[in-house]
Amino acid sequence: MKKRPIIEPFRIKVVEPIRMTRAPERRRILEAARYNLFGVHADDVIVDLLTDSGTGAMSAEQWAGMIRGDESYAGAPSFYRFDAVVRELTGMSFIFPTHQGRAAERIFCDVLPLRDKVVLSNGLFDTTRANIEAAGASGFDLPREDALGGTQAFGGDIDLAKLDRALEEHGDRVALVVMTVTNNTVGGQAVSLANLRAVAERVRSITPAKRPILLLDACRFAENAFRIASDEPAERGRPLAEIARAMFDLADVFTMSAKKDAIVNTGGILGVRDQALADAIRVDLIRTEGFPTYGGLAGRDLEAIAQGLREVLDPSYLEYRFAASRYLASALQAAGWPVITPAAAHAVYIDAGAALPHLAPADLPGQSVACALYLAGGIRTCEIGTLMFGAAAEGKRQLVRLAIPRRVYTQSHIDYVAAVGAEIAEVRAKLPGMRILEEPRCLRHFTAAMAPLSPFPDFE
Ligand code: F0G
C-alpha cells in the first residue's frame, strides 16, 4: 500500500497575510539592511526561518487559557495551574516563572558561587555561556567528535571520555554540568537517555561536598524525548511523558525557554529540587523579575505555557514536526546541498562551507547562502559560523540554520523553500564572499553591516 503522507495535525482558524515581494525589491531591502537579515523588517519576509523561538502558533485552547488568565499580583490561580503542570512534567519541587529562558539562566548563575569555577557541557547555548562567564566561571563544550558526522543517532551526546578527563583535571572547581536537550550548538542533535544517565552517574559518584550540580537546559525536551522514543533501542515506544520525566529525574535543576516546546511567544522556567537554592532564587526573582507567582510574566502567559506543555508531547504533533524538517532536509539534499543529518526537529542546517568551496570561512559562506535565500525567495535564515562566532568558529562548520516555527507553515511553504533552495544550488559556484564593514564589540551577527565582494547573481 502506498505510504500515506503525514499531515499537519491541526486546522487553521486565524490567518496572517504574507506580503509577497519580488527579487528587485528584495535586493533594495537587503542593501538598505546592509546585508544583515536581522535588520530586515518581518513584513518584507515571505517565509521566516530565522528562529523557532517564540514564533510558534498557539492553539485554540492556549488562547482560551489567555482569557482565563488571572492577573492578581500574588497567588493567581493561573500560577497554580502552571505550577501543577510543570511539577507533574518535571518532578521538580520548586518552579519559578521568568520572562525568557535567559532570565532563568541569569538568576541561577547569580545565586551560585561561580567565580573562578568551571562549567562542563555537551554544548552551551550562547546566552547560557554568556551568563556563566558574566558570573566569573569558564564554560567548556565537550561534544562528541562525530557530532555532525551523520552516522549516529544521538550526535547531541556529551563525549564521556572528555567529560571524565575534564572532571579529573578541574576537580572541585567544576560547579555545574549542563546538558542541553536538544543540543542547539551542534546542529540541534538529540541527546540519548543513556548518555544523560551516564553523566548523572558520574556526577553522583563525586562526594557530596564537591559534587557539581547537574542542570538540564530543557527548552526542546519534547523533541528530544521523541527522538529517544524513536531511536534509542532500550526506550523505543515508551510513552513520551515517561521519557521526558526520566530526563528531568536525572537533573538537579532545569532551565527552560518556554518559547520553544511550550509553544508560547514568551516565557521561561527555572526549576530546582533544593530548598536552600529555591530560597535564594526567590529573593533574586523578586528583585529582578517579579513576585514568585508571576515571575516576569502575565497570568495569561502562565496559562498558555501550561496548556502548551500539555499539547507538545502529543505523538502526532511531534511526528509532523520531524516529518517537516526531514522532508525539507531531503529536498535540499536532492538539490545538491550538504545538510546535517539526521535532521533536527527545530531546524535544518545547510553546510555552506562544504557547499561553497570557492569561499574561505573569512568570506562568510553561510551569510552568502543566507543572503541568496532572501534575494531569491524572501526566505530569512540565520548564519551560524564565522559571522556569529568570529575567531571561535575556526575549525567549525559554516552553517545556515533554517529554523522551523511550530505549527506556522504548511507543506507548501516548505515546498517553496525547497524550490528556492534548488534554484540557488544551481548557481552556488557564483555566490560571492562577504565582508564585514562595521561591527559592534560583541554579538556582532545581530547588527554588523556587510557587503558582498561581487554582485549576487540575478534571481527571477
Ligand atoms: N537555551 C537554548 C538551548 C536555546 O536555544 C535558547 C534560545 C535559550 C537557552 C535561551 O532562551 O531565548 O528564551 O532567552 N534559543 C533561540 C534560538 C534564541 O534561536 O535558538 P530565551
Side-chain angles (χ1 to χ4, degrees), residues 58 62 66 81-82 85-86 89 97-99 256-259 261-269 297-312:
M58 292 210 296
Q62 283 178 295
M66 296 286 274
R81 277 192 282 270
F82 158 88
V85 169
V86 180
L89 172 72
T98 60
H99 79 276
M256 190 192 293
S257 165
K259 301 171 72 162
D261 276 349
I263 327 186
V264 294
N265 304 117
T266 199
I269 314 175
L297 295 171
R300 60 180 77 102
D301 296 325
L302 299 172
E303 296 275 357
I305 293 174
Q307 180 60 26
L309 290 174
R310 284 198 199 100
E311 292 172 10
V312 75

PDB file of all heavy atoms in Angstrom, residues 58 62 66 81-82 85-86 89 97-99 256-259 261-269 297-312:
ATOM      1  N   MET A  58      -0.116  29.568  18.669  1.00  0.00           N
ATOM      2  CA  MET A  58      -0.805  28.986  19.819  1.00  0.00           C
ATOM      3  C   MET A  58      -2.104  28.308  19.373  1.00  0.00           C
ATOM      4  O   MET A  58      -2.712  28.691  18.380  1.00  0.00           O
ATOM      5  CB  MET A  58      -1.087  30.062  20.858  1.00  0.00           C
ATOM      6  CG  MET A  58       0.210  30.574  21.503  1.00  0.00           C
ATOM      7  SD  MET A  58      -0.043  31.129  23.183  1.00  0.00           S
ATOM      8  CE  MET A  58      -1.133  32.497  22.928  1.00  0.00           C
ATOM      9  N   GLN A  62      -4.920  27.253  24.051  1.00  0.00           N
ATOM     10  CA  GLN A  62      -3.989  28.216  24.663  1.00  0.00           C
ATOM     11  C   GLN A  62      -4.603  29.616  24.687  1.00  0.00           C
ATOM     12  O   GLN A  62      -4.517  30.320  25.687  1.00  0.00           O
ATOM     13  CB  GLN A  62      -2.653  28.231  23.904  1.00  0.00           C
ATOM     14  CG  GLN A  62      -1.767  27.035  24.222  1.00  0.00           C
ATOM     15  CD  GLN A  62      -0.482  27.053  23.425  1.00  0.00           C
ATOM     16  OE1 GLN A  62      -0.495  26.942  22.199  1.00  0.00           O
ATOM     17  NE2 GLN A  62       0.641  27.214  24.098  1.00  0.00           N
ATOM     18  N   MET A  66      -5.597  32.135  27.749  1.00  0.00           N
ATOM     19  CA  MET A  66      -5.223  33.555  27.852  1.00  0.00           C
ATOM     20  C   MET A  66      -6.392  34.371  28.419  1.00  0.00           C
ATOM     21  O   MET A  66      -6.209  35.294  29.202  1.00  0.00           O
ATOM     22  CB  MET A  66      -4.853  34.126  26.473  1.00  0.00           C
ATOM     23  CG  MET A  66      -3.643  33.506  25.823  1.00  0.00           C
ATOM     24  SD  MET A  66      -2.066  33.987  26.546  1.00  0.00           S
ATOM     25  CE  MET A  66      -1.697  35.485  25.676  1.00  0.00           C
ATOM     26  N   ARG A  81      -2.097  26.632  38.351  1.00  0.00           N
ATOM     27  CA  ARG A  81      -2.306  25.692  37.231  1.00  0.00           C
ATOM     28  C   ARG A  81      -0.973  25.421  36.534  1.00  0.00           C
ATOM     29  O   ARG A  81      -0.626  24.284  36.217  1.00  0.00           O
ATOM     30  CB  ARG A  81      -3.334  26.251  36.241  1.00  0.00           C
ATOM     31  CG  ARG A  81      -4.761  25.984  36.677  1.00  0.00           C
ATOM     32  CD  ARG A  81      -5.759  26.270  35.565  1.00  0.00           C
ATOM     33  NE  ARG A  81      -6.011  27.705  35.409  1.00  0.00           N
ATOM     34  CZ  ARG A  81      -6.970  28.362  36.059  1.00  0.00           C
ATOM     35  NH1 ARG A  81      -7.763  27.745  36.892  1.00  0.00           N
ATOM     36  NH2 ARG A  81      -7.137  29.652  35.848  1.00  0.00           N
ATOM     37  N   PHE A  82      -0.212  26.483  36.290  1.00  0.00           N
ATOM     38  CA  PHE A  82       1.111  26.372  35.651  1.00  0.00           C
ATOM     39  C   PHE A  82       2.035  25.500  36.506  1.00  0.00           C
ATOM     40  O   PHE A  82       2.677  24.565  36.019  1.00  0.00           O
ATOM     41  CB  PHE A  82       1.654  27.800  35.483  1.00  0.00           C
ATOM     42  CG  PHE A  82       3.144  27.940  35.350  1.00  0.00           C
ATOM     43  CD1 PHE A  82       3.752  27.867  34.098  1.00  0.00           C
ATOM     44  CD2 PHE A  82       3.942  28.188  36.462  1.00  0.00           C
ATOM     45  CE1 PHE A  82       5.133  28.020  33.966  1.00  0.00           C
ATOM     46  CE2 PHE A  82       5.318  28.343  36.342  1.00  0.00           C
ATOM     47  CZ  PHE A  82       5.916  28.256  35.089  1.00  0.00           C
ATOM     48  N   VAL A  85       1.220  21.736  36.349  1.00  0.00           N
ATOM     49  CA  VAL A  85       1.612  21.086  35.092  1.00  0.00           C
ATOM     50  C   VAL A  85       3.127  20.907  35.042  1.00  0.00           C
ATOM     51  O   VAL A  85       3.633  19.838  34.681  1.00  0.00           O
ATOM     52  CB  VAL A  85       1.120  21.925  33.880  1.00  0.00           C
ATOM     53  CG1 VAL A  85       1.743  21.426  32.584  1.00  0.00           C
ATOM     54  CG2 VAL A  85      -0.397  21.870  33.785  1.00  0.00           C
ATOM     55  N   VAL A  86       3.871  21.939  35.422  1.00  0.00           N
ATOM     56  CA  VAL A  86       5.335  21.849  35.314  1.00  0.00           C
ATOM     57  C   VAL A  86       5.878  20.847  36.335  1.00  0.00           C
ATOM     58  O   VAL A  86       6.791  20.086  36.034  1.00  0.00           O
ATOM     59  CB  VAL A  86       5.994  23.238  35.484  1.00  0.00           C
ATOM     60  CG1 VAL A  86       7.510  23.127  35.358  1.00  0.00           C
ATOM     61  CG2 VAL A  86       5.460  24.225  34.450  1.00  0.00           C
ATOM     62  N   LEU A  89       5.204  17.339  35.013  1.00  0.00           N
ATOM     63  CA  LEU A  89       6.088  17.020  33.882  1.00  0.00           C
ATOM     64  C   LEU A  89       7.509  16.730  34.350  1.00  0.00           C
ATOM     65  O   LEU A  89       8.152  15.796  33.881  1.00  0.00           O
ATOM     66  CB  LEU A  89       6.090  18.218  32.904  1.00  0.00           C
ATOM     67  CG  LEU A  89       7.082  18.172  31.749  1.00  0.00           C
ATOM     68  CD1 LEU A  89       6.643  17.132  30.719  1.00  0.00           C
ATOM     69  CD2 LEU A  89       7.185  19.546  31.077  1.00  0.00           C
ATOM     70  N   PRO A  97       8.559  31.015  37.394  1.00  0.00           N
ATOM     71  CA  PRO A  97       8.418  31.567  36.047  1.00  0.00           C
ATOM     72  C   PRO A  97       9.361  32.752  35.850  1.00  0.00           C
ATOM     73  O   PRO A  97       9.620  33.517  36.791  1.00  0.00           O
ATOM     74  CB  PRO A  97       6.958  32.038  36.006  1.00  0.00           C
ATOM     75  CG  PRO A  97       6.516  32.171  37.425  1.00  0.00           C
ATOM     76  CD  PRO A  97       7.468  31.422  38.303  1.00  0.00           C
ATOM     77  N   THR A  98       9.887  32.885  34.629  1.00  0.00           N
ATOM     78  CA  THR A  98      10.745  34.034  34.282  1.00  0.00           C
ATOM     79  C   THR A  98      10.309  34.534  32.911  1.00  0.00           C
ATOM     80  O   THR A  98       9.555  33.850  32.223  1.00  0.00           O
ATOM     81  CB  THR A  98      12.228  33.628  34.217  1.00  0.00           C
ATOM     82  OG1 THR A  98      12.382  32.602  33.219  1.00  0.00           O
ATOM     83  CG2 THR A  98      12.742  33.102  35.552  1.00  0.00           C
ATOM     84  N   HIS A  99      10.819  35.705  32.498  1.00  0.00           N
ATOM     85  CA  HIS A  99      10.284  36.256  31.241  1.00  0.00           C
ATOM     86  C   HIS A  99      10.832  35.574  30.004  1.00  0.00           C
ATOM     87  O   HIS A  99      10.217  35.604  28.943  1.00  0.00           O
ATOM     88  CB  HIS A  99      10.464  37.776  31.180  1.00  0.00           C
ATOM     89  CG  HIS A  99      11.842  38.223  30.815  1.00  0.00           C
ATOM     90  ND1 HIS A  99      12.851  38.333  31.729  1.00  0.00           N
ATOM     91  CD2 HIS A  99      12.376  38.543  29.625  1.00  0.00           C
ATOM     92  CE1 HIS A  99      13.960  38.730  31.115  1.00  0.00           C
ATOM     93  NE2 HIS A  99      13.697  38.854  29.845  1.00  0.00           N
ATOM     94  N   MET A 256      14.427  26.480  31.305  1.00  0.00           N
ATOM     95  CA  MET A 256      13.687  26.218  30.068  1.00  0.00           C
ATOM     96  C   MET A 256      13.220  27.525  29.456  1.00  0.00           C
ATOM     97  O   MET A 256      12.607  28.347  30.137  1.00  0.00           O
ATOM     98  CB  MET A 256      12.462  25.333  30.362  1.00  0.00           C
ATOM     99  CG  MET A 256      11.780  24.819  29.105  1.00  0.00           C
ATOM    100  SD  MET A 256      10.161  24.077  29.425  1.00  0.00           S
ATOM    101  CE  MET A 256      10.583  22.632  30.346  1.00  0.00           C
ATOM    102  N   SER A 257      13.532  27.696  28.187  1.00  0.00           N
ATOM    103  CA  SER A 257      12.906  28.770  27.441  1.00  0.00           C
ATOM    104  C   SER A 257      11.565  28.232  26.977  1.00  0.00           C
ATOM    105  O   SER A 257      11.517  27.295  26.176  1.00  0.00           O
ATOM    106  CB  SER A 257      13.783  29.137  26.236  1.00  0.00           C
ATOM    107  OG  SER A 257      13.025  29.926  25.347  1.00  0.00           O
ATOM    108  N   ALA A 258      10.475  28.818  27.467  1.00  0.00           N
ATOM    109  CA  ALA A 258       9.140  28.317  27.094  1.00  0.00           C
ATOM    110  C   ALA A 258       8.794  28.668  25.648  1.00  0.00           C
ATOM    111  O   ALA A 258       7.783  28.211  25.113  1.00  0.00           O
ATOM    112  CB  ALA A 258       8.097  28.896  28.047  1.00  0.00           C
ATOM    113  N   LYS A 259       9.651  29.482  25.015  1.00  0.00           N
ATOM    114  CA  LYS A 259       9.397  29.941  23.650  1.00  0.00           C
ATOM    115  C   LYS A 259       9.576  28.831  22.622  1.00  0.00           C
ATOM    116  O   LYS A 259       9.313  29.029  21.450  1.00  0.00           O
ATOM    117  CB  LYS A 259      10.346  31.098  23.323  1.00  0.00           C
ATOM    118  CG  LYS A 259      10.176  32.264  24.286  1.00  0.00           C
ATOM    119  CD  LYS A 259      11.236  33.330  24.116  1.00  0.00           C
ATOM    120  CE  LYS A 259      11.013  34.094  22.836  1.00  0.00           C
ATOM    121  NZ  LYS A 259      11.742  35.385  22.835  1.00  0.00           N
ATOM    122  N   ASP A 261       9.458  24.518  23.213  1.00  0.00           N
ATOM    123  CA  ASP A 261       8.499  23.414  23.336  1.00  0.00           C
ATOM    124  C   ASP A 261       7.286  23.699  24.228  1.00  0.00           C
ATOM    125  O   ASP A 261       6.413  22.833  24.353  1.00  0.00           O
ATOM    126  CB  ASP A 261       9.226  22.139  23.774  1.00  0.00           C
ATOM    127  CG  ASP A 261       9.835  21.398  22.582  1.00  0.00           C
ATOM    128  OD1 ASP A 261       9.513  21.772  21.436  1.00  0.00           O
ATOM    129  OD2 ASP A 261      10.614  20.460  22.786  1.00  0.00           O
ATOM    130  N   ALA A 262       7.189  24.883  24.834  1.00  0.00           N
ATOM    131  CA  ALA A 262       5.909  25.214  25.472  1.00  0.00           C
ATOM    132  C   ALA A 262       5.014  25.961  24.472  1.00  0.00           C
ATOM    133  O   ALA A 262       3.868  26.301  24.787  1.00  0.00           O
ATOM    134  CB  ALA A 262       6.116  26.037  26.739  1.00  0.00           C
ATOM    135  N   ILE A 263       5.546  26.198  23.285  1.00  0.00           N
ATOM    136  CA  ILE A 263       4.806  26.797  22.151  1.00  0.00           C
ATOM    137  C   ILE A 263       4.091  28.100  22.558  1.00  0.00           C
ATOM    138  O   ILE A 263       2.911  28.291  22.288  1.00  0.00           O
ATOM    139  CB  ILE A 263       3.829  25.803  21.480  1.00  0.00           C
ATOM    140  CG1 ILE A 263       4.379  24.356  21.516  1.00  0.00           C
ATOM    141  CG2 ILE A 263       3.562  26.207  20.034  1.00  0.00           C
ATOM    142  CD1 ILE A 263       3.553  23.332  20.758  1.00  0.00           C
ATOM    143  N   VAL A 264       4.842  28.982  23.198  1.00  0.00           N
ATOM    144  CA  VAL A 264       4.297  30.309  23.510  1.00  0.00           C
ATOM    145  C   VAL A 264       5.253  31.366  22.959  1.00  0.00           C
ATOM    146  O   VAL A 264       6.365  31.051  22.549  1.00  0.00           O
ATOM    147  CB  VAL A 264       4.123  30.526  25.031  1.00  0.00           C
ATOM    148  CG1 VAL A 264       3.057  29.601  25.594  1.00  0.00           C
ATOM    149  CG2 VAL A 264       5.438  30.353  25.785  1.00  0.00           C
ATOM    150  N   ASN A 265       4.796  32.612  22.967  1.00  0.00           N
ATOM    151  CA  ASN A 265       5.587  33.658  22.352  1.00  0.00           C
ATOM    152  C   ASN A 265       6.627  34.259  23.291  1.00  0.00           C
ATOM    153  O   ASN A 265       7.606  34.836  22.848  1.00  0.00           O
ATOM    154  CB  ASN A 265       4.661  34.717  21.753  1.00  0.00           C
ATOM    155  CG  ASN A 265       3.687  34.067  20.775  1.00  0.00           C
ATOM    156  OD1 ASN A 265       2.479  34.087  20.970  1.00  0.00           O
ATOM    157  ND2 ASN A 265       4.205  33.420  19.753  1.00  0.00           N
ATOM    158  N   THR A 266       6.398  34.120  24.599  1.00  0.00           N
ATOM    159  CA  THR A 266       7.493  34.458  25.506  1.00  0.00           C
ATOM    160  C   THR A 266       7.311  33.717  26.831  1.00  0.00           C
ATOM    161  O   THR A 266       6.205  33.297  27.172  1.00  0.00           O
ATOM    162  CB  THR A 266       7.623  35.982  25.731  1.00  0.00           C
ATOM    163  OG1 THR A 266       8.933  36.234  26.242  1.00  0.00           O
ATOM    164  CG2 THR A 266       6.604  36.515  26.721  1.00  0.00           C
ATOM    165  N   GLY A 267       8.417  33.564  27.546  1.00  0.00           N
ATOM    166  CA  GLY A 267       8.345  32.896  28.844  1.00  0.00           C
ATOM    167  C   GLY A 267       9.548  32.007  29.079  1.00  0.00           C
ATOM    168  O   GLY A 267      10.236  31.578  28.150  1.00  0.00           O
ATOM    169  N   GLY A 268       9.821  31.786  30.373  1.00  0.00           N
ATOM    170  CA  GLY A 268      10.909  30.896  30.754  1.00  0.00           C
ATOM    171  C   GLY A 268      10.567  30.261  32.097  1.00  0.00           C
ATOM    172  O   GLY A 268       9.645  30.711  32.797  1.00  0.00           O
ATOM    173  N   ILE A 269      11.279  29.204  32.437  1.00  0.00           N
ATOM    174  CA  ILE A 269      11.019  28.493  33.694  1.00  0.00           C
ATOM    175  C   ILE A 269      12.349  28.069  34.304  1.00  0.00           C
ATOM    176  O   ILE A 269      13.273  27.668  33.589  1.00  0.00           O
ATOM    177  CB  ILE A 269      10.166  27.218  33.474  1.00  0.00           C
ATOM    178  CG1 ILE A 269       8.969  27.493  32.548  1.00  0.00           C
ATOM    179  CG2 ILE A 269       9.684  26.646  34.806  1.00  0.00           C
ATOM    180  CD1 ILE A 269       8.156  26.247  32.202  1.00  0.00           C
ATOM    181  N   LEU A 297       6.201  37.303  34.012  1.00  0.00           N
ATOM    182  CA  LEU A 297       5.127  37.042  33.046  1.00  0.00           C
ATOM    183  C   LEU A 297       3.772  37.536  33.527  1.00  0.00           C
ATOM    184  O   LEU A 297       3.585  37.812  34.713  1.00  0.00           O
ATOM    185  CB  LEU A 297       5.035  35.532  32.785  1.00  0.00           C
ATOM    186  CG  LEU A 297       6.271  34.923  32.112  1.00  0.00           C
ATOM    187  CD1 LEU A 297       6.162  33.400  32.099  1.00  0.00           C
ATOM    188  CD2 LEU A 297       6.417  35.440  30.692  1.00  0.00           C
ATOM    189  N   ALA A 298       2.835  37.618  32.596  1.00  0.00           N
ATOM    190  CA  ALA A 298       1.444  37.881  32.951  1.00  0.00           C
ATOM    191  C   ALA A 298       0.783  36.546  33.283  1.00  0.00           C
ATOM    192  O   ALA A 298       1.210  35.501  32.785  1.00  0.00           O
ATOM    193  CB  ALA A 298       0.725  38.545  31.783  1.00  0.00           C
ATOM    194  N   GLY A 299      -0.286  36.582  34.067  1.00  0.00           N
ATOM    195  CA  GLY A 299      -1.020  35.356  34.394  1.00  0.00           C
ATOM    196  C   GLY A 299      -1.452  34.624  33.135  1.00  0.00           C
ATOM    197  O   GLY A 299      -1.415  33.391  33.054  1.00  0.00           O
ATOM    198  N   ARG A 300      -1.833  35.398  32.115  1.00  0.00           N
ATOM    199  CA  ARG A 300      -2.297  34.743  30.879  1.00  0.00           C
ATOM    200  C   ARG A 300      -1.170  33.972  30.197  1.00  0.00           C
ATOM    201  O   ARG A 300      -1.399  32.939  29.579  1.00  0.00           O
ATOM    202  CB  ARG A 300      -2.950  35.768  29.934  1.00  0.00           C
ATOM    203  CG  ARG A 300      -2.069  36.906  29.490  1.00  0.00           C
ATOM    204  CD  ARG A 300      -2.832  37.848  28.563  1.00  0.00           C
ATOM    205  NE  ARG A 300      -3.729  38.707  29.315  1.00  0.00           N
ATOM    206  CZ  ARG A 300      -3.477  39.985  29.610  1.00  0.00           C
ATOM    207  NH1 ARG A 300      -2.350  40.558  29.193  1.00  0.00           N
ATOM    208  NH2 ARG A 300      -4.320  40.687  30.309  1.00  0.00           N
ATOM    209  N   ASP A 301       0.059  34.468  30.331  1.00  0.00           N
ATOM    210  CA  ASP A 301       1.193  33.734  29.747  1.00  0.00           C
ATOM    211  C   ASP A 301       1.383  32.393  30.459  1.00  0.00           C
ATOM    212  O   ASP A 301       1.732  31.384  29.840  1.00  0.00           O
ATOM    213  CB  ASP A 301       2.500  34.531  29.892  1.00  0.00           C
ATOM    214  CG  ASP A 301       2.481  35.844  29.130  1.00  0.00           C
ATOM    215  OD1 ASP A 301       1.882  35.881  28.046  1.00  0.00           O
ATOM    216  OD2 ASP A 301       3.077  36.831  29.614  1.00  0.00           O
ATOM    217  N   LEU A 302       1.180  32.391  31.776  1.00  0.00           N
ATOM    218  CA  LEU A 302       1.337  31.150  32.543  1.00  0.00           C
ATOM    219  C   LEU A 302       0.313  30.102  32.090  1.00  0.00           C
ATOM    220  O   LEU A 302       0.622  28.915  31.990  1.00  0.00           O
ATOM    221  CB  LEU A 302       1.185  31.421  34.042  1.00  0.00           C
ATOM    222  CG  LEU A 302       2.223  32.387  34.638  1.00  0.00           C
ATOM    223  CD1 LEU A 302       1.862  32.734  36.077  1.00  0.00           C
ATOM    224  CD2 LEU A 302       3.617  31.780  34.588  1.00  0.00           C
ATOM    225  N   GLU A 303      -0.905  30.566  31.798  1.00  0.00           N
ATOM    226  CA  GLU A 303      -1.944  29.647  31.299  1.00  0.00           C
ATOM    227  C   GLU A 303      -1.528  29.064  29.949  1.00  0.00           C
ATOM    228  O   GLU A 303      -1.700  27.871  29.689  1.00  0.00           O
ATOM    229  CB  GLU A 303      -3.276  30.398  31.119  1.00  0.00           C
ATOM    230  CG  GLU A 303      -3.868  30.930  32.397  1.00  0.00           C
ATOM    231  CD  GLU A 303      -4.713  29.895  33.145  1.00  0.00           C
ATOM    232  OE1 GLU A 303      -4.889  28.764  32.639  1.00  0.00           O
ATOM    233  OE2 GLU A 303      -5.192  30.238  34.241  1.00  0.00           O
ATOM    234  N   ALA A 304      -0.989  29.923  29.082  1.00  0.00           N
ATOM    235  CA  ALA A 304      -0.612  29.460  27.734  1.00  0.00           C
ATOM    236  C   ALA A 304       0.534  28.457  27.816  1.00  0.00           C
ATOM    237  O   ALA A 304       0.561  27.467  27.079  1.00  0.00           O
ATOM    238  CB  ALA A 304      -0.228  30.655  26.864  1.00  0.00           C
ATOM    239  N   ILE A 305       1.475  28.706  28.727  1.00  0.00           N
ATOM    240  CA  ILE A 305       2.600  27.764  28.892  1.00  0.00           C
ATOM    241  C   ILE A 305       2.066  26.419  29.392  1.00  0.00           C
ATOM    242  O   ILE A 305       2.425  25.358  28.871  1.00  0.00           O
ATOM    243  CB  ILE A 305       3.653  28.316  29.881  1.00  0.00           C
ATOM    244  CG1 ILE A 305       4.350  29.540  29.295  1.00  0.00           C
ATOM    245  CG2 ILE A 305       4.684  27.240  30.232  1.00  0.00           C
ATOM    246  CD1 ILE A 305       5.306  30.242  30.263  1.00  0.00           C
ATOM    247  N   ALA A 306       1.201  26.471  30.417  1.00  0.00           N
ATOM    248  CA  ALA A 306       0.687  25.221  30.988  1.00  0.00           C
ATOM    249  C   ALA A 306      -0.018  24.399  29.905  1.00  0.00           C
ATOM    250  O   ALA A 306       0.209  23.194  29.766  1.00  0.00           O
ATOM    251  CB  ALA A 306      -0.284  25.530  32.131  1.00  0.00           C
ATOM    252  N   GLN A 307      -0.829  25.058  29.090  1.00  0.00           N
ATOM    253  CA  GLN A 307      -1.548  24.335  28.034  1.00  0.00           C
ATOM    254  C   GLN A 307      -0.570  23.854  26.953  1.00  0.00           C
ATOM    255  O   GLN A 307      -0.678  22.728  26.465  1.00  0.00           O
ATOM    256  CB  GLN A 307      -2.646  25.232  27.442  1.00  0.00           C
ATOM    257  CG  GLN A 307      -3.456  24.586  26.334  1.00  0.00           C
ATOM    258  CD  GLN A 307      -4.171  23.323  26.779  1.00  0.00           C
ATOM    259  OE1 GLN A 307      -4.494  23.130  27.958  1.00  0.00           O
ATOM    260  NE2 GLN A 307      -4.409  22.423  25.827  1.00  0.00           N
ATOM    261  N   GLY A 308       0.402  24.681  26.586  1.00  0.00           N
ATOM    262  CA  GLY A 308       1.390  24.294  25.558  1.00  0.00           C
ATOM    263  C   GLY A 308       2.163  23.058  25.997  1.00  0.00           C
ATOM    264  O   GLY A 308       2.409  22.149  25.195  1.00  0.00           O
ATOM    265  N   LEU A 309       2.524  23.006  27.273  1.00  0.00           N
ATOM    266  CA  LEU A 309       3.273  21.839  27.770  1.00  0.00           C
ATOM    267  C   LEU A 309       2.407  20.577  27.752  1.00  0.00           C
ATOM    268  O   LEU A 309       2.913  19.470  27.618  1.00  0.00           O
ATOM    269  CB  LEU A 309       3.805  22.104  29.183  1.00  0.00           C
ATOM    270  CG  LEU A 309       4.937  23.136  29.262  1.00  0.00           C
ATOM    271  CD1 LEU A 309       5.304  23.430  30.711  1.00  0.00           C
ATOM    272  CD2 LEU A 309       6.178  22.670  28.495  1.00  0.00           C
ATOM    273  N   ARG A 310       1.090  20.754  27.867  1.00  0.00           N
ATOM    274  CA  ARG A 310       0.208  19.579  27.756  1.00  0.00           C
ATOM    275  C   ARG A 310       0.141  19.106  26.306  1.00  0.00           C
ATOM    276  O   ARG A 310       0.005  17.928  26.041  1.00  0.00           O
ATOM    277  CB  ARG A 310      -1.220  19.936  28.202  1.00  0.00           C
ATOM    278  CG  ARG A 310      -1.386  20.034  29.680  1.00  0.00           C
ATOM    279  CD  ARG A 310      -2.879  19.941  30.035  1.00  0.00           C
ATOM    280  NE  ARG A 310      -3.076  20.471  31.354  1.00  0.00           N
ATOM    281  CZ  ARG A 310      -3.532  21.705  31.615  1.00  0.00           C
ATOM    282  NH1 ARG A 310      -3.866  22.518  30.642  1.00  0.00           N
ATOM    283  NH2 ARG A 310      -3.662  22.108  32.850  1.00  0.00           N
ATOM    284  N   GLU A 311       0.199  20.045  25.367  1.00  0.00           N
ATOM    285  CA  GLU A 311      -0.003  19.681  23.956  1.00  0.00           C
ATOM    286  C   GLU A 311       1.252  19.119  23.296  1.00  0.00           C
ATOM    287  O   GLU A 311       1.174  18.338  22.352  1.00  0.00           O
ATOM    288  CB  GLU A 311      -0.462  20.921  23.170  1.00  0.00           C
ATOM    289  CG  GLU A 311      -1.846  21.365  23.570  1.00  0.00           C
ATOM    290  CD  GLU A 311      -2.263  22.699  22.946  1.00  0.00           C
ATOM    291  OE1 GLU A 311      -1.562  23.205  22.050  1.00  0.00           O
ATOM    292  OE2 GLU A 311      -3.307  23.224  23.367  1.00  0.00           O
ATOM    293  N   VAL A 312       2.424  19.551  23.779  1.00  0.00           N
ATOM    294  CA  VAL A 312       3.640  19.312  22.995  1.00  0.00           C
ATOM    295  C   VAL A 312       4.063  17.855  22.957  1.00  0.00           C
ATOM    296  O   VAL A 312       4.766  17.434  22.035  1.00  0.00           O
ATOM    297  CB  VAL A 312       4.782  20.230  23.493  1.00  0.00           C
ATOM    298  CG1 VAL A 312       5.355  19.747  24.824  1.00  0.00           C
ATOM    299  CG2 VAL A 312       5.877  20.348  22.445  1.00  0.00           C
TER     300      VAL A 312
END
